[in-house]
Amino acid sequence: MDAIGIPPQGFRGRKLLIITYYWPPAGGPGVQRWLKFVKYLPEYGVEPVVYIPENPTYPLLDEGLLAEVRPDVTIIRQKITEPYAWASMFSKGSTKKISSGIIPNNKKQSLIQRMLLWVRGNLFIPDARVLWVKPSVAYLSKYVQENGIDTIITTGPPHSLHLIGLRLQEKLSIKWLADFRDPWTTIGYHKELKLSASAEAKHKALEKQVLTSADAVIVTSPTTKKEFEALTQKPIHVITNGYDVEKVQKQPLDEKFTLAHIGSFLSERNPNILWEALAELIRENEAFRDAFQLKLIGAVSQEVLRSISEAGLDGYVNSLGYVPHETAIVEQRKSQVLLLVEIDSPDTQCIIPGKLFEYMVSERPIVAIGPEGADFAAIIRSTNTGVFLTYSEKEKLKQILFGYFEEYQKGTLRSHPIGLQQYSRKNLTGELVKVL
């Protein structure tokens, strides 16, 4: 067996075409996975060529990520027709939220939001970037043949990019791998798209066609692998997201007992047991009340903010909004405790948030709340980086938070991680090349 991070030599010197929608200056978690793979692929003798849209509509921007793009990487672009650009004429705010995954609770959706969701789910299948498929296939068919491309990887969401790989494979008989950063028909927001029966059937048919046609499938969690194994006999490989070496100057910890959440705080991730536990600790303990601060970094839904307010926590919130990735890393490493929340649903057991791995190397303890059987719970436990609780464990949550607070008072609060190297971006790139 090869040593960790040292792949076989069979793919060295070959060109790999990566078809992705998210690329700097896009912000958010979707851009990180392939930005980092591209960073390390040349160290394994693989030449990446990245295909991206020329004129994308990104809901989040982070210009700082442009500095992380290898200067020697080949990047090719083609124009994309973006329905989100048209939709913004009706409601720019609603369009931006929906395109970034922030979907209001069904009972609180406006008429325009309901209309946008119906159009998104029923007219643009599998997603709003499907109009990029046909022109991309036309352009890339010629490019692949003229430039000695050996293998294609498509990464989704948006899952319409997998249709580009499917069509290229049909035309050119080229090796194609489909990378799923998230599931397709079982992703958390899929049921919010107000799908007709025929639209739902088309989504599932396309999903199965991609899974059974790709030469191999890459997923980010064991649960997604198990789900896809019911649909295809093709090999499925789990390659999680990971952490990279961040050149961030060490900062003193926050003076307050900060509980920090980094990233989008969606309506469905509203942990009422946490707000209740914090409100009770504030009422019961004067020292906790004087020291506590809830730090929110990233877009936060109105439903979450309303729940925080109803729990009487408004005065304890420090909301920084969306910040560049480098700033987010600094803030998380300054925080006393890091909060990770996933939707309480069987559909989200497979979700391993990308920020988990950056959390793990921050040396700050993690408090994670999610569904029973969540894949990321096993990672937290095996790496000794924090605690995982379900939505029914409020009293245990209170005990853990107060225990961390007592360590904070003593000046001894930190995590003691083990076995993190397997999740380094460089090592994971080695695992990818083994699959290639």
Side-chain angles (χ1 to χ4, degrees):
M1 181 179 293
D2 295 314
I4 290 179
I6 304 177
Q9 303 297 308
F11 203 79
R12 283 187 175 275
R14 304 220 182 153
K15 288 186 178 181
L16 172 67
L17 176 64
I18 299 157
I19 300 172
T20 181
Y21 179 81
Y22 293 103
W23 191 255
V31 70
Q32 292 286 332
R33 181 172 174 85
W34 283 94
L35 175 63
K36 301 300 184 178
F37 280 145
V38 167
K39 175 181 178 179
Y40 290 112
L41 276 168
E43 296 187 27
Y44 293 94
V46 178
E47 181 183 343
V49 178
V50 182
Y51 176 68
I52 58 175
E54 184 178 299
N55 54 322
T57 302
Y58 292 141
L60 298 172
L61 294 175
D62 186 347
E63 299 285 346
L65 292 178
L66 288 167
E68 294 194 38
V69 179
R70 290 184 65 104
D72 58 346
V73 68
T74 299
I75 299 176
I76 53 177
R77 298 174 173 87
Q78 282 291 293
K79 287 185 178 180
I80 184 172
T81 301
E82 287 271 33
Y84 282 126
W86 308 334
S88 64
M89 292 188 293
F90 294 95
S91 176
K92 189 171 183 179
S94 292
T95 301
K96 187 173 182 179
K97 286 182 178 179
I98 289 170
S99 67
S100 61
I102 299 179
I103 298 177
N105 183 284
N106 200 37
K107 296 179 181 178
K108 299 171 183 174
Q109 291 170 5
S110 68
L111 180 61
I112 288 179
Q113 287 170 332
R114 291 194 194 98
M115 179 191 74
L116 290 173
L117 287 168
W118 187 91
V119 169
R120 154 71 174 85
N122 293 276
L123 301 187
F124 297 100
I125 299 174
D127 51 63
R129 277 81 190 207
V130 70
L131 298 179
W132 199 41
V133 174
K134 188 174 180 179
S136 294
V137 172
Y139 172 76
L140 291 174
S141 295
K142 183 178 180 182
Y143 186 91
V144 164
Q145 294 180 86
E146 292 180 349
N147 290 273
I149 301 296
D150 300 286
T151 300
I152 296 169
I153 289 185
T154 54
T155 180
H159 293 311
S160 56
L161 272 62
H162 297 312
L163 303 186
I164 300 174
L166 179 67
R167 306 301 176 225
L168 288 173
Q169 184 197 56
E170 291 171 346
K171 289 186 69 173
L172 306 176
S173 298
I174 191 169
K175 184 177 180 181
W176 163 48
L177 285 73
D179 173 61
F180 287 82
R181 301 190 314 277
D182 287 315
W184 186 329
T185 57
T186 58
I187 196 169
Y189 59 74
H190 190 76
K191 62 184 67 173
E192 303 292 339
L193 297 179
K194 308 184 187 305
L195 300 175
S196 66
S198 61
E200 177 71 36
K202 188 172 181 181
H203 273 282
K204 289 184 175 179
L206 285 173
E207 176 185 48
K208 186 163 186 178
Q209 187 180 11
V210 166
L211 290 172
T212 55
S213 300
D215 292 285
V217 175
I218 302 172
V219 296
T220 58
S221 75
T223 295
T224 303
K225 178 180 179 179
K226 184 177 180 181
E227 173 191 327
F228 284 174
E229 283 175 337
L231 300 175
T232 183
Q233 298 297 312
K234 293 297 178 72
I236 302 174
H237 306 271
V238 177
I239 302 179
T240 66
N241 289 308
Y243 68 88
D244 202 8
V245 178
E246 305 282 356
K247 296 179 180 178
V248 177
Q249 188 173 356
K250 192 171 180 63
Q251 303 281 336
L253 293 172
D254 293 333
E255 291 185 12
K256 289 278 191 179
F257 179 62
T258 44
L259 175 61
H261 182 276
I262 288 99
S264 297
F265 216 145
L266 309 183
S267 303
E268 295 82 359
R269 293 179 187 155
N270 192 1
N272 284 309
I273 64 160
L274 174 62
W275 315 138
E276 293 169 9
L278 290 170
E280 291 174 14
L281 286 169
I282 287 168
R283 287 196 301 269
E284 296 165 1
N285 189 281
E286 183 178 352
F288 188 94
R289 180 170 63 247
D290 292 341
F292 175 67
Q293 184 180 91
L294 177 64
K295 186 159 64 172
L296 303 176
I297 301 171
V300 183
S301 78
Q302 287 302 311
E303 286 84 354
V304 171
L305 291 174
R306 190 176 300 112
S307 294
I308 291 171
S309 180
E310 289 171 354
L313 300 175
D314 277 343
Y316 301 91
V317 175
N318 177 19
S319 183
L320 280 68
Y322 180 77
V323 300
H325 181 249
E326 185 176 349
T327 304
I329 294 294
V330 170
E331 288 297 332
Q332 88 182 17
R333 294 188 182 185
K334 289 170 58 180
S335 302
Q336 298 290 347
V337 179
L338 299 173
L339 176 64
L340 185 66
V341 183
E342 195 43 80
I343 300 169
D344 187 21
S345 166
D347 290 344
T348 61
Q349 290 175 339
C350 65
I351 302 298
I352 304 177
K355 64 190 167 196
L356 167 63
F357 303 97
E358 293 178 345
Y359 277 17
M360 293 193 309
V361 293
S362 69
E363 297 186 352
R364 310 313 307 154
I366 301 167
V367 171
I369 303 170
E372 187 74 46
D375 284 342
F376 69 87
I379 295 176
I380 291 173
R381 292 176 185 130
S382 67
T383 56
N384 195 41
T385 48
V387 293
F388 171 84
L389 304 102
T390 65
Y391 280 74
S392 63
E393 298 181 282
K394 188 181 82 171
E395 288 306 314
K396 185 177 178 181
L397 176 58
K398 274 183 68 176
Q399 293 171 13
I400 287 166
L401 288 171
F402 193 70
Y404 283 154
F405 175 66
E406 290 180 316
E407 290 183 49
Y408 153 81
Q409 289 179 306
K410 297 172 187 174
T412 60
L413 180 59
R414 57 161 292 174
S415 67
H416 302 276
I418 56 175
L420 296 185
Q421 181 59 32
Q422 62 186 308
Y423 299 111
S424 75
R425 294 285 190 181
K426 185 172 182 178
N427 181 66
L428 292 167
T429 305
E431 298 302 311
L432 171 65
V433 177
K434 290 181 184 178
V435 174
L436 297 175

